[in-house]
Each structure stands twice: as structure tokens, then as C-alpha cells.
Amino acid sequence: MAARPHPLPERTEDLRESLRRDRAGLEASYLKKGNAAALLRSHSKLIDRYLRHIWQRLSMPADTALVAVGGYGRGELYPKSDIDLLILLSGDPDETLEQKLRELLGLLWDIGMEVGHSVRTVTQCLSEASDITVQTNLIEARLLCGANTLFEELRDAVKQALDPRAFFQAKLAEQQQRHARFAESDYNLEPNLKESPGGLRDLQIVTWIGRAAGLATRWSDLAQAGLITAAEARLIAHHDALLQTLRIRLHYLAKRREDRLLFDFQTPMAEQLGIEASANRRASEHLMQRYYRTRIFVRQFNTIVLQNLRDHLFRDTPPQHALNERFRVIGDLLDIRDEQLFEHTPSTIFELFLLLEQHQELSDLSARTLRALWRARQRIDSAFRRDPHNRELFMDIVRQPQGLTHALRRMNQYGILGRYLPAFGRISGQMQHDLFHVYTVDEHILMVVRNLRRFTLARHAHEVPLCSKLIAEFARPEVLYVAGLFHDIAKGRGGDHSQLGMKDARAFCKQHGMGSDDSDLVVWLVEHHLTLSATAQKQDLSDPDVIAHFAATIKNDRYLVALYLLTVADVRGTSPKVWNAWKAKLMEDLFRHTQRYLSHGKPIDLLSEVREQAATTLNLYALPADAYRMLWAQLEDSYFLDHEAQEIAWHTRQLAFKPNTSEPIVKARLSRVGEGLQVLVYCQDQRTLFARICDFFARMNFTIVEAKIHTTQHGYALNSFQIMEASPGNTAYRDIMHYIEFELAQRISAAAKVSPFSGGRVNRQLKHFPMRTEVGITPAQQNTHLLSLITGDSPGLLARIALIFDKHDIRLHRAKINTLGSRVEDVFWISGTMLDKSEPREILVHDLSDSR
């Protein structure tokens, strides 16, 4: 027997304390029992009780009413959500009533209720209901206390004014706008449980439209109306309960209204739910996979039921015609001619997606086709997967000249792709907190395939022109799409996902009758899909040995082209913020160097070639060889190998007549890669120079992506930097270049002590999912060592590293700075006596590990 509620006190401070205790009791009970629906109902009833008490205490006029609206109106009040109220009046308020209303609202805030309120007459409510949000609130209105006849008048008026068809169209448009707004990548990592696609709002819109149509307020009502089955009603109730649970716990953890599942709360929430880490994945990653899979199901459910509701409301008869003996077209929708088609002929599931590709005039599937497809997904079993006809149909889908991206995304959304490729099903909804992927593994894979397809479209040829040119000449591009499907399919299993993915790819190719040459290429691409990116961003591309070593892994030009295309598509598919013009240049440079190497069968004499090209360019500026002979005589061969001819010509034009200057020379220009700036620094060499330059750019919010450090034979530093804005958007480059040229030269001249910049905020993902710093030192060419550093990014990191080098008398020759989201993978070419001794090396590694 439930305990009788305690009497409520009269004094405001006592009421406030009473409400606080009652809410704390609800929280304790919920955390013990975990019943989300019961908590939402109990919280609503608790607030009902306090509001009725206060309404009576203030003796509110008999011709007014207090009405709950919105989520509170439907009896679902989350712990920290606003309490949405409508104070319904019979007419315009006089001064006495206005004073009463101010007293009421002030008291509600005084006792700790965060109220969202409106004060209106019935006429005003109907006028405001032209706003779809207001209209939605009103159809969920619930009388708390006051004039019942006035409330009934409002409810009747709202019902009479409601046009279910117009309401459906408005809510559908509202959902489409919301999905577009919350589809940004940031909401993948920290999703909004309420507003993101597949969130609570996608379920609420179904019940709103169902209520407007007079059909449903609960999932069981939809089942009774024949829109879903009883089993589907139970399944969606399960997913609804999970989203409610996450949002309730999020409110309690945040101690405020918070709907984004921020990094701050993912780990503690996983702990609350008893989710444990596994050998290869954090507890938070397991939690997020549950969420992502629920999100996928909710989107499926939302799509199917809205189609059914549309058919119920509009009952129109658009033109239709037979497509074949199994399918027909109704308007612009593909429809099955027999509701049991997928049950007795499962192979038609793949035929459906093939038809959607082949008939671009079709926009979607009919409601009954969606339902039949959803229910038939279990027919994709081992027998289905073994059927040669189904394998042939799947390859037909992959080989279609258009529509592949939409087909695969639909197959993933409806659970078909994961059923047909069980390995793909295992990574569905899987997120990894690696600081640069912002999509789940399945979404990333489909994004890579989408990028490959995008290369084939003329309207996107401006994005990566070389890729568009290469893929147009690439025979049987389905090889690339299959490699894209499998390149990350083994993520999260433990071990090298490239090696594990090879086995899956090899089995697929064999089962699907791909020729031996194409099968070998697919398997090789999966194995080596990280090789080109790692080489381009972490190796010295001016070193002929690097090119020769990379080329040794390439079988022929077709392999090179395929790897380049897959790599670009892969990097562009990790995050909108990772790809930039500098990465594009590095990868294109490696591609072209390797292509030349493969065509000649031996390294090219780059030194002679680049000097000749630079001299030719300088001749165009009427600069004779005598003018720069003195400068070039002071430069090592490594300088010419490290720079392109146009860079050497630019440097020479700035320095030819003052190679022995006593004042620092700083020059900046727009980068030839199409993004960012190139900066030349020339001065007498000095301690902490590199640290001072790094600190200067950090304070300007610029990121150094490459540094080429050279010391001339007469003791001058000739340093070249490629820099990019950390937050792109500033187009006033002329002013920025002037500022850099003047201010950086001043700071170099001052030679003041460097205090590395530590401003800015550390990325919250890095804060809550810290990564272990990895430092590696290996011998390189010409008495240098290659130092690799993998760590989390932080303000002033590069300046701190430079100071560590100075502290240990380490000379820096070159640096490649690779930032992937909040993760840095930097490479430095260094030299110094301590690098040949194990104990001093360990001290250096220790200092670098603590550099963050």
C-alpha cells in the first residue's frame, strides 16, 4: 500500500525545503529501482500536488484555470526540465488579477520551480496556435486546477481548429529542419538525446500526429489502429525507455537541464548502468553503441510509422503502374504488389534496392513496403547469404553507375546491410574515442564509399580534381567500393584491424565471384589502407629512399591509383575538420613521386632537377645567377631536396642581396597549396629560436603543419613554415602577413625568454578520454634520428617540445606536424650526441612524455 502524501506547509521557505526533499526522494528511489516511466509520472504528480496547493493558497479567481502543457502536460516531466504552464483566463486581466498572477509566478520561482509560462484567453490561444509549437503544446494540455468549463472550451476550440493533414505537413517539415540542424558531426560525439535524429523528439512527433489524427497516445494504441504490430509496439517501448533512462540520468548527473550526452557524463553514466569496459573498448564506448543502435531503430520506426500515418490521413490515389510482376510504382514511391513478397521470395529484398538505383525518379518506398521490409529482415540468414543469386544481386547493387550511396545507407538504416554482412552488423553504432573520428564506424565506412562515388560526379570535380580524373579512367570501380566497405570493418575486435579485415574481404571476394586480380587488389587495399597517409604525413618525401621503400609495396600503377583514391576518401571521411589543403598536397606529392619512380624504375635525380627549375624561375624575374651564387653556396644539398623549386626561387628573391644581414628577415605569402600561409624566417642562428617562433604562432591561433629547419654553412637559420588557422574564417590575409613580418622579426631580435603559451581550452574529449603519449626514436639518414610523437593536442605544445630540444642540445632539422582533431602525430628529424646513448635518450623520452 502506497504511503499517504505528507501535508504541505504554508510558509514559502518550508515549501521550498519540502519540494527539495520530495524531489531528492524521487531521485533516490529512481537510482535504486531504475524505472524511467514511473519517475516521469511520479515527478509530474508531485508537481501537480504543489501547484494545486499554491493555487488554492492564493485563492485564485474561479474563472481562471491552471493548465499543464508540453511534456508536463502529457505527464512526462524530466528532473531538471522547465515546468510548462498555461494560465487560462476568461477575459483580459484587471489590475487585481495581474497582481495575483505576479504573486503566483513569484512564489513558484521562490520555492524552486523553473516555470515556463504563458497567460492567455481561449481566443488568444487559438490566435497563437498558428505557430506549430504552440499548437503542439495545446493538444497535450491537461487541467491542473481552476475553471473546468473554461478548460473544456479551450480543448473543444483547439480540436475544432486542428487540421490533421496540415498538422502532419507542418510537423514533418519541422522534423526535417531539426534533422538538418542536428546532423552536424559534433552531435555524433555528444548527441542531443532529445533533438538529434533518432532521439526522443522523433518518437514524440509520432504520438503528436497520432493524437491529432485521433489514433494514438501510446504505442499500444498504434498497434490497435493497425499501424504497427504488438511486437513492434513492445520493441519501440523498449527503445523509448532507454532514451528516457539516459536523459533522466543525464539530468541528475549534470544537476541541471542538459540534453547533450557530453563527454563529461558518458563514463559516469556507463558506471551507473553497470556497463564495464572490455579488453578493447571503454565502458563509455559500449554505452554509446547501445545509444547509437537505439537511434538507428528509432529512425527506422519514425520513417515507417510516419509513412503509415500519411497514408491514413491523406488516403489519396496517386497514379500507379506496374514496374514488373513483383513491384509497382505509386506516385514516386516503390511499392510491393504482394505484402508477403519478401517472405516467400527473400531475394526480392535486394531487387528492391537495385530498382531504386535504376529508377532515379523513385524517391522512396511506400509505407507498406517499408513495413514489410522491416519485418522481413530476419529472412536474411545464412541460407540467404549463401544463395548465389543473392550474391549476384548484391554485386549488381555495388556496380550500378548511380544510387549506390543511397542504397547502402537505406540498407544500413533498415538493418539489411548488417544482416547480410554480419561483420558490418557488429560495428553498427560503434564509436571509438580516438580524438579524430567523429562518426560511428558504420557511418564512417559509408562516408568513405560516398566520397569515392563523389569523385565520379562532375559537379564535385573541383573538390579533389586529381581524384576525379583518376577515377574516370579506373576500370571496374566496384573494387574501390568493396575495399571501402571492408577497410575498417574489423575495428574494435582487438589486434590490427587491417590484418583482420583482410580475412573478411578475402572471403567476401571469393563468395561473390570477383576475379582473382580484383580480389587481390581489394585484400591488398584493406591491408595497406593506412600506408599512403602515414608515409605522406610522417616521412620525408624529399628522401629518395622513402619513395623507393613506399614504391616497393606497390604492385603496379593500378594499385597506386586505387590506394590514393581510397586514402583520400578515407581521410575526408573521418571528420569535416581533419582534411585540408596541406594534407591534400602531401598525398598528391607522394602519389606523383611514386608514379614517376614506378615509370622510371629507379630514383630521379631530384637535386639537379630542382636547382635547374629554381634557376629557370629566377631567370623569369631577371635575377641572374651571379646575384644569388653567394647565397646558394652557403646552402647544403638537403635544403634543395627539402624544398620545391618555386619555394627556393621565393626564398632566393628575398635573400639574394643580403645573405649576411644582421637583422632578422621574416616574409610571408599565401600558401601555394590554396590554404594558409608560408612564412620564411632568416636570421643568425640562436638558442630557442624555434620555440620562440612556435610560441608566436600559437598566440596568433595558427597551427604549424610543417617546419623545415636549415642552418647555412655561415651560421644562419633559414627556416620555412607552412601555417594554417586553427579556426579558419579570417580572410584578411594581407593584414595578417604584415603583422607576422613585423612582429615576429621584433620578437626574434628581442631574444626574450620563452614562456610557452598556455591559453585556450583543452579539448573536453581529451580531458575525459586521455590518451597515452607515445614517443619513438629511430635512426634516419645523414646522422639524424627520426622522433615520432603521438599525444593529445594542447595549447603551446609545439613550443614546449622545442624548449625540451634546446634543453638537451638537440638540433631540429625538419618537422611534420599532423593534427587529427584533438590528436597530434608529429614527426621530427633531429640530431644530437645524447641520441646515441640509451640513458640520455630515456631522459628525453620522459621529458617529451610530460610535455602536455
Side-chain angles (χ1 to χ4, degrees), residues 406-476:
H406 290 304
L408 291 178
R409 283 181 169 165
R410 281 190 175 109
M411 292 171 78
N412 189 40
Q413 181 181 351
Y414 302 139
I416 304 300
L417 193 57
R419 294 286 303 178
Y420 185 66
L421 300 175
F424 191 90
R426 286 193 288 273
I427 49 90
S428 176
Q430 180 178 312
M431 174 59 78
Q432 295 191 85
H433 292 295
D434 57 12
L435 303 182
F436 61 95
H437 280 94
V438 298
Y439 305 107
T440 57
V441 180
D442 58 317
E443 288 176 323
H444 165 67
I445 286 174
L446 297 183
M447 186 69 74
V448 172
V449 177
R450 169 256 196 188
N451 288 342
L452 289 166
R453 293 288 287 191
R454 199 176 176 93
F455 296 152
T456 67
L457 303 177
R459 64 180 179 273
H460 298 300
H462 64 283
E463 294 178 350
V464 193
L466 179 59
C467 288
S468 296
K469 177 179 181 296
L470 292 173
I471 205 166
E473 301 166 353
F474 193 87
R476 303 183 303 284

Side-chain angles (χ1 to χ4, degrees), residues 152-192:
E152 290 298 329
E153 180 187 345
L154 171 68
R155 190 158 65 175
D156 291 343
V158 169
K159 185 176 180 179
Q160 187 173 1
L162 180 64
D163 178 352
R165 292 186 176 187
F167 185 79
F168 175 91
Q169 298 284 23
K171 296 307 290 185
L172 188 62
E174 183 183 70
Q175 174 173 285
Q176 291 166 346
Q177 293 169 3
R178 175 172 51 81
H179 282 187
R181 188 169 70 253
F182 283 89
E184 295 179 12
S185 58
D186 287 347
Y187 290 99
N188 280 349
L189 294 170
E190 298 178 301
N192 187 303

